[in-house]
Structure formats: C-alpha cells, structure tokens
Amino acid sequence: MGFVESFKQNFIEEDRWHYLVNGLGTTLLITLFAVLIGMVLGFIIAIIRFTHDKTGKMVIPNIICKVYLTVIRGTPVVVQLLIIYFVIFASVPISKIFVAIIAFGINSGAYVAEIVRSGIASIDDGQFEAGRSLGLNYRQTMTSIILPQAFKNVLPALANECIVLLKETSVSGYIAVQDLTKGGDIIRSQTYSAFMPLISVAIIYLVMVVVLTHFVTKLERRLRQSDRR
Amino acid sequence: MIDVKGLKKTFGENEVLKGIDEHINKGEKVVVIGPSGSGKSTFLRCLNLMEIPTEGTILFEGSDITRADDRELNLMRRKMGMVFQHFNLFPHLTIKKNITLAPVKLGLMTQDEADKKALDLLERVGLPDKADSYPAMLSGGQKQRIAIARSLAMNPDVMLFDEPTSALDPEMVGEVLELMKQLAEDGMTMVVVTHEMGFAREVASRVMFMADGVIMEQNTPKEFFENPQNPRLREFLSKVL
C-alpha cells in the first residue's frame, strides 16, 4: 500500500482525523489546566518550604509539604492517575478529563515546587535584606523583590517542566481519556496500520514542543533585558 | 536617638559582640573602624535588627526595637536607611523603580509623587540620566550612589553604612564618599562602618574603634588619630595610616 492510500485510510476514511484533532484538543486542555494547577501549587509549596527554612515558622505546613513531595516524586504518575480515578473519585460521577487535570496538576506541583524553591534559594540574601531594610515586610519583599527574580532564574526549568507535562499526559489513556496518544492508537486499532497514526502523533507532539521551546526562548530574552550591559 | 545597652550577639559558639553600651545623638556622624572580625558590621546590622541581638536592648527614638513585633519593626526600619557593601540594588527593576518601590508599596507616596522624588534624588546623587537604566548597566560607584538615593527616598532619620566603599574599584571610592560627605553636611545622622580613614578624619563627629567585640576607644577624630590611647588602636592605626 502506498503512502497516499495509507494516508487516506488512516485519516480521511470515516473522518478518522477527528480522533487526532479531538485528542489534541483534550491533550492541550489537560496540559494547560494541569500546568496552572501545578504552578499555583508549586509556588505555594516552595514559599512555605522557604519561609520555614528562613524563619522557622510554618512547621506543620512544611511537614505536609514534605510528605506530599516525597509521595508524589516517589511514585509513578500513571499509578497516581489510576489511584485518583479508581480510588479517590471511585464513587463520584466525574469527568475523566477533570480527573486527569487534577492528577497531572498535583503531580506537576511537586516538581514545580522544587524548581521554584531552588530559584528562591539562588537569590542573594542581600536582596532580602535590602527589601527589609527599606521597611517592606516579609510578604512584600517576597512578592516584589525575591519571586520576580527567582521566577526569571527558573523560567527555563519551568518551561521544561511544562514540556515534560505535555508529554506525560500521553498516559491519560489509562483512565480511558481520549487524548492525542489514545486517538492515534484508536486509529491504529481500526486500520491495523501502526506507522501512519503513531508517527503522526509523534510529529504533533514534536511540533508542539518545538513551538513551546521557541516561545520560551523569546520570553527569556525579554526577561533578560535587565541584565543588559 | 539610638540608645544601645548591653548589646551582645553570638553566632553559634562565637561571641561577636561582647556587651556594647552606646548612645548616638541626632545629627552625629559616627564612624566605626576596626580590624575585620571585630564585630563592627554586626554592631551596625544590629541597629536595624538585620541581626537579632542575643542580649541587650536597642532604643530607637525612645522605643525598644528588640522587643518590637514585626509590624513595629517595619515601621522603624523605614526611618533607618541602610547602605550595603554590595549595593543590593534590585537587578530586575529600573533605577527609578529601585528608588520608588518601597515608598509606593508602603503607601507613603503615589507612583507620580515617588517618580518626582526619584528624579530629585537622582539629580542630588548626580545621576539624573540613569532613571530608566537597569543596575547591571551601571558602574560600582554609580550603583552605590543609587543605593544611597534609594534609602533617602524613605526620608530616613538615620543612615547606616556598612562598608559602602569596600567593594568598589579605587577610582570609584571618591564619588561615593563625596556624596556621603554632602549628606553629612546636610545634617543627616550617620553611622558608618568603613576603612576610609580620610573620611573618618574629615567627616566624623566621633570615631569609634572596635576590636574583639567591644568598643575599645572613641573620640573626636582629631584626638582619635593624633592621640590614640589604646595599644590595640595604636597598632591598628600604624598599619592602616
């Protein structure tokens, strides 16, 4: 079978391309909201951990954060996804996509937290002292002096985390979410041809990652303005 | 204005300040000198509680800041400007923003008022054209002058200088000292930790010698340099003069 026939069979016949387009939409939806949850969660945890290390306050929240980090980073994301779907939300009629968002968001939060914490720790103590010596309180110093700089420093690592997350959502099929990967796999199971659908899926992921990387590089360049000499 | 009683500070096993009693009056320019490790920077940093004293009290304008809660402490720090050895400008903000950040965040000025004040201050420190530059674009001397302007934006009652010229290339020391001299002439109360003996001699109303965590000797600059009593001070001066 030639390339053209194969293309027709896998994507045109019975509108099979819908599987990929809808799957892509689902993948992007899950990634976008999971990234948002992960960022918010990660920043909160990083700030709690840093505040604990710096001031000795927030003992209980810090312990909770540590347990969370250990559990999430110590278990595979697929297992977490399965547990959240089949154990935690077992008796709740709930959208599978929503479950995937929650699972990947919680998972990503743990990695974001450690990235952000290392970013905060990389800021010179003098920055903190300068803020406090001007009469700014801890929170004001964090939000207007420390975090913007930390964010800039860890932006490449955070972007990398987004890219990892985008690719990780490909296991959503485990709870029967029809994401991009699952979409390609459904086509494969219908047409019994593996090459065309799976390579297409791979190319779509690749393009997304390349585009994302491009935007991050641009953003980094803009943030670096203040380093110009 | 600042009243220090029985101030002690230990870092772990290491007793850096071994009991300091000192009074600094409004308008005084106190210069603290001494060998490294003598505790002079720690003493200065205790005055605005950048370091928490282990023992003793510090009264600033009548209230004990060692017993202040966070909110009171922040209010007091507004009145005490601090200039650091490494400038500690905010690298992610323009010069103007560096200066206006605190007054605006703390609700003391609107952004417009603060901008105007910033331009006045930049004029005063001789860098009116740097408002929209970023710290990385400035020389060390310029950075330190901006750092001074940033502190002045809060209209402090006292300025603390922690070795303000120690991180500068020699040719940039002069411009910073000149600015500090101007400040002194304008009547600012100043506590300066420095190795610049010329500055101490010229600007100080009182020079203090610290060694081993205590103030060993203090006097007017003339007496201090011409007629030192303490053998440690004599030895120190013979090395640095």
Side-chain angles (χ1 to χ4, degrees):
Chain A
M1 190 161 55
F3 183 85
V4 177
E5 287 105 279
S6 174
F7 186 89
K8 260 191 190 154
Q9 187 203 17
N10 279 298
F11 301 129
I12 311 293
E13 279 172 24
E14 295 181 36
D15 283 340
R16 289 201 175 97
W17 58 274
H18 277 291
Y19 287 114
L20 292 188
V21 173
N22 295 343
L24 175 61
T26 304
T27 290
L28 289 176
L29 185 75
I30 294 173
T31 306
L32 178 69
F33 284 100
V35 161
L36 288 177
I37 293 174
M39 291 288 164
V40 172
L41 210 54
F43 267 84
I44 291 171
I45 290 162
I47 291 166
I48 290 173
R49 300 264 288 126
F50 179 78
T51 303
H52 170 79
D53 291 352
K54 179 124 189 135
T55 65
K57 291 175 191 165
M58 297 205 179
V59 177
I60 305 289
N62 185 53
I63 292 172
I64 296 171
C65 289
K66 270 178 140 166
V67 170
Y68 161 81
L69 291 176
T70 309
V71 170
I72 295 298
R73 296 198 301 166
T75 54
V77 64
V78 181
V79 176
Q80 292 163 19
L81 182 68
L82 291 172
I83 288 176
I84 289 176
Y85 184 62
F86 288 110
V87 179
I88 296 175
F89 287 120
S91 55
V92 189
I94 199 168
S95 145
K96 288 179 207 127
I97 293 176
F98 180 76
V99 172
I101 288 172
I102 297 289
F104 290 113
I106 289 175
N107 178 268
S108 180
Y111 294 94
V112 171
E114 288 305 272
I115 292 170
V116 174
R117 195 165 74 97
S118 74
I120 295 173
S122 74
I123 304 298
D124 184 72
D125 220 29
Q127 291 292 311
F128 201 81
E129 291 186 347
R132 298 308 300 272
S133 80
L134 288 164
L136 298 174
N137 62 29
Y138 182 86
R139 197 177 49 78
Q140 290 163 331
T141 307
M142 284 302 276
T143 54
S144 39
I145 298 169
I146 306 297
L147 288 178
Q149 294 185 59
F151 180 69
K152 195 177 100 175
N153 287 358
V154 300
L155 194 62
L158 284 180
N160 202 41
E161 171 58 25
C162 292
I163 291 169
V164 168
L165 187 62
L166 173 72
K167 290 180 288 179
E168 253 175 10
T169 60
S170 61
V171 298
S172 302
Y174 271 87
I175 59 166
V177 169
Q178 288 194 14
D179 70 326
L180 177 59
T181 306
K182 189 74 183 174
D185 205 43
I186 290 172
I187 298 175
R188 180 192 60 80
S189 68
Q190 291 181 353
T191 61
Y192 300 106
S193 77
F195 180 85
M196 190 66 80
L198 295 186
I199 293 296
S200 306
V201 166
I203 289 172
I204 294 170
Y205 277 113
L206 187 66
V207 169
M208 287 195 291
V209 169
V210 169
V211 169
L212 202 59
T213 310
H214 170 76
F215 280 121
V216 171
T217 316
K218 257 184 140 169
L219 182 60
E220 264 188 280
R221 206 177 300 144
R222 262 192 60 190
L223 283 169
R224 247 204 317 271
Q225 246 176 15
S226 60
D227 296 337
R228 253 185 340 202
R229 272 159 212 278
Chain B
M1 173 178 264
I2 304 176
D3 221 351
V4 181
K5 286 201 190 88
L7 175 63
K8 287 187 187 175
K9 173 71 184 175
T10 36
F11 291 107
E13 296 286 285
N14 187 14
E15 191 172 37
V16 181
L17 298 178
K18 297 175 180 165
I20 290 185
D21 297 281
E22 196 46 65
H23 188 80
I24 294 160
N25 290 313
K26 193 167 165 36
E28 270 199 297
K29 294 99 186 59
V30 177
V31 173
V32 186
I33 64 169
S36 50
S38 60
K40 54 191 192 306
S41 275
T42 308
F43 168 59
L44 189 80
R45 289 164 54 81
C46 280
L47 294 181
N48 68 346
L49 258 62
M50 284 290 120
E51 303 289 351
I52 311 296
T54 315
E55 254 182 66
T57 59
I58 299 167
L59 268 60
F60 175 64
E61 295 177 342
S63 42
D64 185 355
I65 62 175
T66 55
R67 261 174 258 292
D69 61 30
D70 264 5
R71 201 186 56 84
E72 291 166 329
L73 186 57
N74 291 328
L75 289 174
M76 274 179 259
R77 279 183 176 146
R78 296 181 188 181
K79 299 270 134 218
M80 306 174 113
M82 185 166 220
V83 175
F84 300 87
Q85 180 175 359
H86 296 289
F87 332 124
N88 299 347
L89 293 181
F90 308 131
H92 61 304
L93 301 176
T94 63
I95 297 307
K96 193 160 74 181
K97 270 273 179 193
N98 262 274
I99 297 173
T100 60
L101 176 72
V104 173
K105 276 270 167 221
L106 295 171
L108 304 177
M109 299 179 198
T110 65
Q111 187 67 49
D112 283 348
E113 287 165 352
D115 284 349
K116 204 169 154 293
K117 171 111 188 165
L119 294 177
D120 287 348
L121 284 167
L122 286 172
E123 196 78 45
R124 187 165 165 196
V125 302
L127 297 167
D129 54 334
K130 298 294 184 193
D132 298 316
S133 306
Y134 282 92
M137 298 152 83
L138 305 185
S139 73
Q142 290 173 332
K143 280 184 201 167
Q144 196 58 300
R145 283 148 70 195
I146 297 298
I148 292 171
R150 181 176 67 179
S151 287
L152 289 175
M154 294 296 295
N155 295 316
D157 293 341
V158 55
M159 289 274 283
L160 311 175
F161 292 86
D162 188 5
E163 305 204 24
T165 58
S166 296
L168 297 177
D169 290 338
E171 77 269 21
M172 292 168 186
V173 170
E175 62 190 74
V176 172
L177 292 182
E178 190 51 46
L179 175 60
M180 289 167 63
K181 223 167 99 184
Q182 269 178 41
L183 260 181
E185 281 162 8
D186 293 347
M188 178 62 76
T189 311
M190 295 164 67
V191 185
V192 185
V193 170
T194 187
H195 295 289
E196 296 294 330
M197 298 302 147
F199 179 82
R201 208 190 281 256
E202 211 180 326
V203 179
S205 50
R206 183 149 60 106
V207 187
M208 233 175 239
F209 175 67
M210 276 187 76
D212 301 333
V214 293
I215 297 171
M216 292 222 162
E217 182 164 344
Q218 56 174 310
N219 217 326
T220 60
K222 192 170 154 56
E223 279 295 305
F224 184 90
F225 286 108
E226 285 171 16
N227 195 10
Q229 303 296 317
N230 189 298
R232 287 287 300 275
L233 173 57
R234 271 186 233 157
E235 190 197 329
F236 180 72
L237 288 178
S238 73
K239 279 182 194 155
V240 296
L241 289 182

